[in-house]
Amino acid sequence: MAISSFAQIRRDLHQIPEPGFQEVKTQKYLLDYLEKLPQERLQIKLWRTGILVKIAGTAPKRTIAWRTDMDGLPIVEETSYPFRSLHEGYMHACGHDMHMAIALGLLTHFVQNPIADDLLFLFQPAEEGPGGALPMMEGEEFASWRPDCIFALHIAPEYPVGHIATKPGILFANTSELFVDLVGKGGHAAFPHKANDMVVAGSHLVTQLQSVIARNIDPLDSAVITVGKIEGGTKQNIIAERARLEGTIRTFSMESMALVKGRIESLVKGIEAGFECSATIDYGCGYCQVYNNEQLTNDFMDWVQHECNDVTLVHCKEAMTGEDFGYFLTEIPGFLFWLGVQTPYGLHHAKIEPNEDAIEVAIHLVSRYFTWLSKQS
Ligand SMILES: [Zn+2]
Ligand SMILES: [Zn+2]
């Protein structure tokens, strides 16, 4: 199959975005494609709504893995595409349709041109939540095919096609959701002494949370606490019995994440004591950092610089975004890089239209890289 056909595959997948662990049609589409490939070197295992595919090498010494995510987002699509989402209220707005098309492109290349090492392709569900990487790693399907190194990419709207960006070490932040529920005592607006006002308690907490970043985090480290939503009370002349804060925490080190959570817990205890209310904290869904293996990343960057004059390498900074690919990197050396898909709209935007020429760029780059990598050792 010609490489340009992978843009068509991306369009097909774009029409059927599904939320995490419900990627049923997506899985079926991928399996139908895999069935049409020559089967001699292929082994396929299913894991929930995900798929693991192994391509036998010609003289394997190790297993090299490539991971793609599969899920879409609960967003109403606003692109100008003729191939818009057929799933009302869902959209591939994070490029996972692009990622899957690239993975199939690579897989097809290596079925036709096997290298010495074994290759493992991971089609991982639920990247956007609740997180598929960690449970996939814990599954026996993965354990029995455990790779020696692992790689992935993510589309980047801000870079032109033909550009990639990465760095050794920390690339994406540690992330955690934050939900705080405060319960006090409601009452008449004119009798505040007979109630415990959770709008006031919640407001104090929001302000105090900002002091964690300002006063507890090393200024040379980085962290963010954003409270994106507050809900409380029922009516303008009733003292609020309940308030709920919803936010997110991002840090560049696992230590800072533990420290921030510890401080939040102390502050919430203080609010409970000070306002005579009860409070609960829920951290919801969170991902560990994406930490690129220094040696592999530096070697890759050198190789791109010297061997790939069709690709422009950007030495980027770390970002406060989250990615559950980071879990694989806690146990298996590898890295993730950004793939330029130049579009004015950011990730998770209802109008994002990544440039499909980047699919071919990625397939061409990573197929050469794996071929090169397999010859090193
Ligand atoms: Zn996303
Ligand atoms: Zn994504």
Side-chain angles (χ1 to χ4, degrees):
M1 179 178 269
I3 273 173
S4 57
S5 311
F6 295 104
Q8 182 56 50
I9 287 176
R10 181 258 163 170
R11 293 177 183 202
D12 293 346
L13 290 165
H14 188 82
Q15 293 198 287
I16 53 166
E18 294 165 299
F21 290 126
Q22 295 175 48
E23 301 95 336
V24 178
K25 287 190 206 168
T26 306
Q27 186 189 45
K28 167 102 175 43
Y29 182 94
L30 297 169
L31 286 172
D32 286 349
Y33 179 87
L34 293 170
E35 249 175 43
K36 292 187 194 113
L37 293 174
Q39 299 292 304
E40 301 81 66
R41 293 188 172 274
L42 279 189
Q43 277 180 280
I44 298 171
K45 286 183 190 172
L46 302 188
W47 176 81
R48 298 182 68 170
T49 48
I51 309 172
L52 297 86
V53 184
K54 194 168 180 176
I55 304 178
T58 53
K61 287 199 193 112
R62 58 184 169 170
T63 302
I64 301 172
W66 181 258
R67 172 272 202 178
T68 175
D69 35 22
M70 300 168 68
D71 51 329
L73 284 157
I75 291 176
V76 178
E77 181 161 356
E78 292 175 31
T79 64
S80 59
Y81 286 152
F83 52 91
R84 268 199 294 274
S85 167
L86 300 173
H87 293 175
E88 190 55 39
Y90 286 92
M91 176 184 174
H92 269 299
C94 200
H96 301 184
D97 50 349
M98 297 276 288
H99 300 171
M100 286 186 279
I102 291 165
L104 286 184
L106 285 171
L107 206 153
T108 306
H109 172 87
F110 287 114
V111 165
Q112 291 161 354
N113 308 281
I115 53 175
D117 285 320
D118 288 340
L119 288 168
L120 176 63
F121 286 86
L122 300 173
F123 295 86
Q124 178 219 300
E127 191 283 323
E128 300 289 354
L134 194 56
M136 189 177 221
M137 276 176 79
E138 287 165 350
E140 71 170 60
E141 295 81 0
F142 181 82
S144 60
W145 280 353
R146 197 180 167 83
D148 300 286
C149 47
I150 188 160
F151 307 93
L153 60 74
H154 202 292
I155 64 160
E158 65 272 36
Y159 297 117
V161 173
H163 284 51
I164 64 160
T166 193
K167 71 182 279 292
I170 186 96
L171 185 69
F172 292 179
N174 296 271
T175 69
S176 173
E177 294 177 339
L178 173 66
F179 304 98
V180 182
D181 283 290
L182 301 167
V183 183
K185 192 167 166 230
H188 193 290
F191 302 99
H193 55 296
K194 293 188 174 168
N196 289 322
D197 188 344
M198 289 306 102
V199 163
V200 175
S203 306
H204 275 266
L205 181 57
V206 171
T207 316
Q208 288 178 15
L209 287 175
Q210 300 312 309
S211 76
V212 175
I213 304 305
R215 301 289 82 177
N216 299 121
I217 294 294
D218 180 340
L220 298 181
D221 196 351
S222 264
V224 173
I225 301 177
T226 293
V227 176
K229 185 176 172 188
I230 309 181
E231 244 173 30
T234 48
K235 193 169 184 293
Q236 122 283 348
N237 62 355
I238 300 172
I239 288 173
E241 184 166 307
R242 289 169 184 275
R244 179 174 167 86
L245 275 52
E246 300 189 2
T248 178
I249 313 166
R250 312 267 158 138
T251 72
F252 276 146
S253 72
M254 296 204 241
E255 295 74 28
S256 296
M257 179 59 79
L259 184 128
V260 167
K261 285 183 173 175
R263 288 296 301 144
I264 290 173
E265 285 151 29
S266 303
L267 291 174
V268 168
K269 276 205 186 88
I271 293 285
E272 280 184 305
F275 292 86
E276 295 181 313
C277 62
S278 67
T280 50
I281 302 173
D282 176 2
Y283 292 117
C285 169
Y287 293 156
C288 85
Q289 64 201 18
V290 171
Y291 195 93
N292 283 342
N293 177 279
E294 272 103 357
Q295 176 88 56
L296 282 167
T297 312
N298 283 326
D299 290 352
F300 170 71
M301 291 172 83
D302 275 356
W303 173 81
V304 173
Q305 202 103 55
H306 294 109
E307 305 293 326
C308 306
N309 45 24
D310 54 329
V311 174
T312 303
L313 175 72
V314 179
H315 297 247
C316 64
K317 285 190 177 176
E318 53 272 49
M320 280 292 180
T321 35
E323 238 289 354
D324 72 349
F325 180 65
Y327 288 107
F328 290 108
L329 294 183
T330 60
E331 293 189 15
I332 297 159
F335 59 78
L336 181 146
F337 67 86
W338 290 111
L339 175 73
V341 295
Q342 193 156 33
T343 154
Y345 299 102
L347 298 173
H348 295 202
H349 196 287
K351 291 185 175 169
I352 187 174
E353 295 183 5
N355 187 321
E356 290 173 336
D357 293 343
I359 295 173
E360 197 172 333
V361 171
I363 295 170
H364 192 48
L365 176 71
V366 178
S367 58
R368 279 179 292 168
Y369 173 60
F370 281 3
T371 305
W372 175 81
L373 187 64
S374 186
K375 288 178 187 154
Q376 319 294 308
S377 54

